Amino acid sequence: MEFWFSQLDTENVKTTVRVEKQLFSGQSDYQRIDVFQSDEYGKMIVLDGDIVFSEADEFIYNEMVVHVPMAVHPNVKNVLIIGGGDGGVAKVLTQYPEIESIDVVEPDEMFISVSREFFPETAKGFDDSRVNIINMDGLRYLRRCADKYDLIINDSTDPFGHTEGLFTREFYGNCSRALHADGVMVYQHGSPFYDEDEAAFRAMHRKAFRSFPISRVYQASIPTCPAGYWMFGFASKKYHPLRDFDPKRWNARGLKTWYYTTNLHQGAFMLPKYVEDILSEEEHRG
Amino acid sequence: MEFWFSQLDTENVKTTVRVEKQLFSGQSDYQRIDVFQSDEYGKMIVLDGDIVFSEADEFIYNEMVVHVPMAVHPNVKNVLIIGGGDGGVAKVLTQYPEIESIDVVEPDEMFISVSREFFPETAKGFDDSRVNIINMDGLRYLRRCADKYDLIINDSTDPFGHTEGLFTREFYGNCSRALHADGVMVYQHGSPFYDEDEAAFRAMHRKAFRSFPISRVYQASIPTCPAGYWMFGFASKKYHPLRDFDPKRWNARGLKTWYYTTNLHQGAFMLPKYVEDILSEEEHRG
């Protein structure tokens, strides 16, 4: 049987994946949620038509948002994950014994229950006793936080639809306030390649750059993302992602990874000229 | 109108691009050649169903196969391009005044004439007086070369079909013989992500690693390549791509780029763990 799911990367480009079965389809209060079994990517979660998680490449995203800040900040105890309903980010964080609490602020209960049902290996990140799930909108939650976290990871989806508020200037300001004086924020920064993504990419850097003393962007090759190329933001009050990076300390932990290495950590910040130019234009905008 | 071209990245994943018009379709002695006008990628050349050139992302590939070796080897005078019928690699090379000759060994005359007709801005690389086009099979040409080139760039397509001979052990041995004692070879190394590409990726590294004293792999994010992630090989008799790399000399040239920077040069060799593991397994195979 020919059975294909297509993700619209732009209105003119699709990533099309052969599907064996649709395992789930539902409409939550926030979004449409589908789960597919595919030959190439294993099981995938699709939110409003976009692949947000696949068994074959989730390791790249999850390792890059966790290990990069953890190899820089010397003393992370309290972490906030905004979004993160699949549990993948929480699962990687639970490998660090010094972390005392992981708050996951995910408004969509259906997303969490679907993840628990179809991705128990990933969602077991939620079962760690340090993890607290808070069913609330991220921006609303942040408004009441001050000086509370060492690390915030914005794992929410695109800056459109119900997560739009998580990409406003108010959001970055609230994250800054919710962090301790040496806190770090990591956020998904979208893809800079296609014209229709570039405006969102520019706006994100402009807002983070003005809300934090240190703001750098890093990259990874993630096949299910548009153009296969994804960026992350590292915004920080004190620590620089390269100057305060401690590869020796991180390597001494002996953590098993499939994507991240301390060598790749450095390379991830070495960006193509066209990306450097975009960032620099936004930094120098009047 | 809904008019879409699909590239089969694997038998289970397609990259699907909206097409405005098919500008050319022909069958040469070697392959089927199509030219499409697309909204997202501009004009594209498709060989046997695979996008090998698009106006929107060709700069990435062409800059990465030229500037990386040129920023390492201190004295490149004679260059051989194997394949390269679109002229893009030759065009980037002609920016270097010290290069005295650029031999392009491309057996497919139709590919060259199609490139000249539909991509005159790129194919003008052929018009430089230092460029000699040789219509011959690359492996046959190489058999008669010894101690002739400073740099060989293998710009041929996949290790299947009529270009299969360009990925054999004999091929790497012949390249080594065709190079001067300090020569460098750069070749497209395929994509390591999908299972069905991994075997070819492994075999290529094994052969290059045994044919050259120095053999390193580097990466770029190229949207029209499978998984958006492409690798290149740097095989060399004397110069190491990082230890003999001279960013100061290269930057003094003041060349205009869109992808390459000397900072990115270093990052391109900092690979994901799963790629490092594959390479290391092949290096230690008995």
Side-chain angles (χ1 to χ4, degrees):
Chain A
M1 184 170 84
E2 296 288 315
F3 187 23
W4 297 87
F5 161 77
S6 288
Q7 168 176 280
L8 277 170
D9 292 347
T10 75
E11 62 177 21
N12 301 313
V13 179
K14 300 188 273 197
T15 297
T16 300
V17 179
R18 190 190 292 277
V19 163
E20 206 187 292
K21 251 189 200 173
Q22 186 178 35
L23 302 174
F24 176 84
S25 185
Q27 179 71 42
S28 76
D29 292 341
Y30 299 92
Q31 54 205 337
R32 176 172 168 158
I33 302 174
D34 292 273
V35 179
F36 294 104
Q37 177 73 50
S38 75
D39 289 304
E40 197 67 53
Y41 285 110
K43 278 186 282 188
M44 313 188 294
I45 303 185
V46 171
L47 298 182
D48 283 340
D50 288 328
I51 302 167
V52 301
F53 183 96
S54 95
E55 286 180 328
D57 74 350
E58 56 92 13
F59 70 99
I60 304 176
Y61 181 96
N62 291 332
E63 290 185 13
M64 289 303 276
V65 298
V66 171
H67 297 316
V68 170
M70 291 302 293
V72 173
H73 193 304
N75 189 25
V76 173
K77 286 193 162 58
N78 300 297
V79 184
L80 169 64
I81 305 172
I82 299 167
D86 55 61
V89 175
K91 187 182 164 188
V92 180
L93 282 166
T94 59
Q95 296 179 284
Y96 291 87
E98 74 270 35
I99 293 179
E100 293 171 3
S101 78
I102 302 168
D103 293 339
V104 179
V105 177
E106 170 60 66
D108 194 341
E109 290 184 56
M110 187 191 279
F111 181 21
I112 292 178
S113 68
V114 165
S115 300
R116 282 194 195 274
E117 182 176 351
F118 294 99
F119 301 86
E121 271 309 298
T122 304
K124 78 178 178 195
F126 293 140
D127 299 335
D128 190 283
S129 65
R130 295 167 289 174
V131 175
N132 323 295
I133 299 175
I134 301 159
N135 282 123
M136 194 191 275
D137 172 72
L139 190 57
R140 249 185 71 213
Y141 175 79
L142 275 167
R143 283 188 185 128
R144 61 183 206 191
C145 294
D147 195 17
K148 188 170 162 65
Y149 294 105
D150 304 298
L151 172 61
I152 296 177
I153 297 174
N154 182 11
D155 182 26
S156 61
T157 46
D158 298 326
F160 310 108
H162 80 279
T163 53
E164 202 172 347
L166 302 178
F167 295 86
T168 57
R169 188 175 294 189
E170 187 203 348
F171 171 73
Y172 292 98
N174 286 347
C175 283
S176 173
R177 207 187 54 219
L179 286 167
H180 294 316
D182 62 351
V184 170
M185 176 191 182
V186 164
Y187 52 102
Q188 65 101 328
H189 207 301
S191 179
F193 183 77
Y194 293 120
D195 289 348
E196 71 178 54
D197 295 327
E198 193 188 312
F201 180 82
R202 283 180 180 273
M204 241 184 276
H205 186 58
R206 210 158 55 231
K207 290 167 195 167
F209 184 76
R210 288 172 187 188
S211 304
F212 286 86
I214 294 163
S215 160
R216 303 304 306 148
V217 169
Y218 62 104
Q219 67 198 344
S221 289
I222 307 183
T224 55
C225 289
Y229 185 45
W230 204 249
M231 312 296 288
F232 305 94
F234 183 105
S236 169
K237 295 185 174 186
K238 180 177 170 188
Y239 301 115
H240 188 280
L242 297 174
R243 288 196 295 270
D244 296 303
F245 164 55
D246 191 339
K248 214 168 142 193
R249 189 184 65 218
W250 192 86
N251 283 315
R253 296 173 178 276
L255 294 179
K256 170 85 183 141
T257 61
W258 287 262
Y259 195 82
Y260 181 84
T261 72
T262 50
N263 201 28
L264 179 120
H265 178 120
Q266 298 168 78
F269 288 90
M270 296 169 176
L271 306 175
K273 184 71 164 61
Y274 77 95
V275 179
E276 271 189 4
D277 287 349
I278 289 173
L279 297 173
S280 154
E281 279 166 35
E282 294 309 319
E283 289 169 12
H284 295 97
R285 199 178 275 264
Chain B
M1 185 169 86
E2 297 287 315
F3 187 24
W4 297 86
F5 161 78
S6 288
Q7 167 176 280
L8 277 171
D9 292 347
T10 77
E11 62 177 21
N12 300 313
V13 179
K14 300 189 273 197
T15 297
T16 301
V17 179
R18 188 190 292 277
V19 162
E20 204 186 296
K21 252 188 200 173
Q22 185 178 35
L23 301 175
F24 176 84
S25 185
Q27 179 72 43
S28 75
D29 292 342
Y30 299 91
Q31 55 206 336
R32 175 172 169 160
I33 302 174
D34 292 273
V35 179
F36 294 103
Q37 177 72 50
S38 75
D39 289 303
E40 197 68 51
Y41 284 109
K43 277 186 283 189
M44 312 188 295
I45 303 186
V46 171
L47 298 181
D48 283 341
D50 287 328
I51 303 167
V52 300
F53 184 96
S54 95
E55 286 179 329
D57 73 350
E58 55 93 13
F59 70 100
I60 304 175
Y61 181 96
N62 291 331
E63 290 185 14
M64 289 302 277
V65 297
V66 171
H67 297 316
V68 170
M70 291 303 292
V72 173
H73 193 303
N75 190 24
V76 174
K77 287 195 161 57
N78 300 297
V79 183
L80 169 63
I81 304 171
I82 299 167
D86 55 61
V89 174
K91 187 182 164 187
V92 179
L93 281 166
T94 59
Q95 295 180 287
Y96 290 87
E98 74 270 33
I99 292 179
E100 293 171 3
S101 77
I102 302 168
D103 293 339
V104 179
V105 178
E106 169 60 65
D108 194 342
E109 291 183 57
M110 187 190 280
F111 180 21
I112 292 178
S113 67
V114 166
S115 300
R116 282 194 195 275
E117 182 177 350
F118 294 100
F119 301 86
E121 270 311 298
T122 304
K124 77 179 178 194
F126 293 139
D127 299 334
D128 191 283
S129 65
R130 295 167 290 175
V131 175
N132 323 295
I133 298 175
I134 301 159
N135 282 121
M136 194 190 278
D137 172 73
L139 190 57
R140 250 184 71 215
Y141 176 80
L142 275 166
R143 284 188 185 127
R144 62 184 205 191
C145 294
D147 195 16
K148 188 170 162 65
Y149 294 105
D150 304 298
L151 172 62
I152 297 177
I153 297 173
N154 183 10
D155 182 26
S156 62
T157 46
D158 297 327
F160 311 107
H162 80 278
T163 53
E164 202 172 348
L166 302 179
F167 295 85
T168 56
R169 188 175 296 189
E170 186 203 349
F171 171 74
Y172 291 98
N174 286 347
C175 284
S176 173
R177 207 187 56 220
L179 286 167
H180 294 316
D182 63 351
V184 170
M185 175 191 182
V186 164
Y187 53 102
Q188 66 102 328
H189 207 300
S191 180
F193 184 77
Y194 292 119
D195 289 348
E196 72 177 54
D197 295 327
E198 193 187 311
F201 180 82
R202 283 180 181 274
M204 242 185 275
H205 186 59
R206 210 158 55 232
K207 290 166 194 166
F209 183 77
R210 287 170 186 190
S211 304
F212 286 86
I214 294 164
S215 160
R216 303 304 304 148
V217 169
Y218 63 104
Q219 65 199 345
S221 290
I222 307 183
T224 55
C225 290
Y229 185 46
W230 205 247
M231 311 297 288
F232 305 94
F234 183 106
S236 168
K237 296 184 174 187
K238 179 176 172 190
Y239 302 115
H240 188 280
L242 296 174
R243 288 196 295 270
D244 296 304
F245 164 54
D246 190 340
K248 215 170 141 191
R249 189 184 66 219
W250 192 86
N251 283 314
R253 296 172 179 277
L255 295 178
K256 170 85 185 142
T257 62
W258 286 263
Y259 195 82
Y260 181 83
T261 71
T262 49
N263 200 28
L264 180 121
H265 178 120
Q266 298 170 78
F269 288 90
M270 297 170 176
L271 305 175
K273 185 71 165 60
Y274 77 95
V275 179
E276 271 188 4
D277 287 349
I278 289 173
L279 297 172
S280 154
E281 279 166 36
E282 295 309 318
E283 290 168 13
H284 295 97
R285 198 179 275 264

